[in-house]
Amino acid sequence: MTTTSREQNDVGADHQMPSWREVFLYFLFLGFVNIGGPVAQITMMFNHMVEKRQWLSKDRFVKIMGFCHMLPGPEALQLAIYVGYLKRKVWGGILAGLTFILPGAVVMIVLSWLYVKYGKLPQVSNALYVLKRQSSVSSPLALSNSVALQFGIFFWQSYSSAHS
């Protein structure tokens, strides 16, 4: 089957090809400011990819979002991976996905370590309690955050007792 000129124009409508560095830094940044849930993340992606950098046309972004809505799982992550794939092929998708996920995972591991190490101190206990309550209220991923925090606590307790 041959590609029509309409399909070629749709692909060509994605104005700019970002560098590897741009893809890496943007999704790393987005991974660190992952507050507000998927709606906020997708809005930030739209503002950056369509309006500011013109990596995608508005029509292409909407079509990608429609596709991501049909798939099970977190839409913002799927969008990040797909855009990374579109712009930098397989390694771009992998890089976009990892840099979108890893900052949050690192933060959860650090918070778990802080809790295990210093959780008995009232200041740390109060600060982590506030963070725990805030994530439960504001994030639809609160259950996964809670599980990750509990897993991190269990890991650090097991590690500490094994190396004591």
Side-chain angles (χ1 to χ4, degrees), residues 132-146:
K132 181 179 175 184
R133 291 291 145 230
Q134 179 62 28
S135 70
S136 297
V137 171
S138 68
S139 175
L141 300 174
L143 179 61
S144 66
N145 288 342
S146 176

Side-chain angles (χ1 to χ4, degrees), residues 29-50:
F29 164 77
L30 198 58
F32 273 110
V33 295
N34 248 343
I35 298 171
V39 173
Q41 296 164 351
I42 291 169
T43 302
M44 288 177 69
M45 288 184 202
F46 179 83
N47 290 339
H48 185 82
M49 292 183 223
V50 175

Side-chain angles (χ1 to χ4, degrees), residues 20-140:
W20 282 98
R21 185 174 183 270
E22 281 182 288
V23 171
F24 172 77
L25 290 177
Y26 178 68
F27 286 112
L28 185 66
F29 164 77
L30 198 58
F32 273 110
V33 295
N34 248 343
I35 298 171
V39 173
Q41 296 164 351
I42 291 169
T43 302
M44 288 177 69
M45 288 184 202
F46 179 83
N47 290 339
H48 185 82
M49 292 183 223
V50 175
E51 294 176 348
K52 186 177 180 183
R53 298 285 183 197
Q54 299 176 345
W55 290 357
L56 299 168
S57 66
K58 184 177 179 180
D59 183 56
R60 184 69 182 254
F61 187 89
V62 170
K63 288 177 182 177
I64 292 169
M65 277 310 306
F67 179 68
C68 291
H69 281 305
M70 292 188 315
L71 299 173
E75 294 164 351
L77 175 61
Q78 294 166 351
L79 178 64
I81 292 170
Y82 191 70
V83 170
Y85 171 76
L86 280 178
K87 294 302 173 181
R88 289 289 167 188
K89 303 300 175 209
V90 173
W91 285 110
I94 292 169
L95 180 67
L98 287 175
T99 56
F100 189 78
I101 293 172
L102 286 179
V106 169
V107 167
M108 292 305 294
I109 290 169
V110 168
L111 288 174
S112 300
W113 177 80
L114 285 173
Y115 180 77
V116 169
K117 189 81 171 162
Y118 303 107
K120 303 271 190 262
L121 296 174
Q123 301 89 341
V124 174
S125 180
N126 292 340
L128 291 177
Y129 180 78
V130 168
L131 286 174
K132 181 179 175 184
R133 291 291 145 230
Q134 179 62 28
S135 70
S136 297
V137 171
S138 68
S139 175

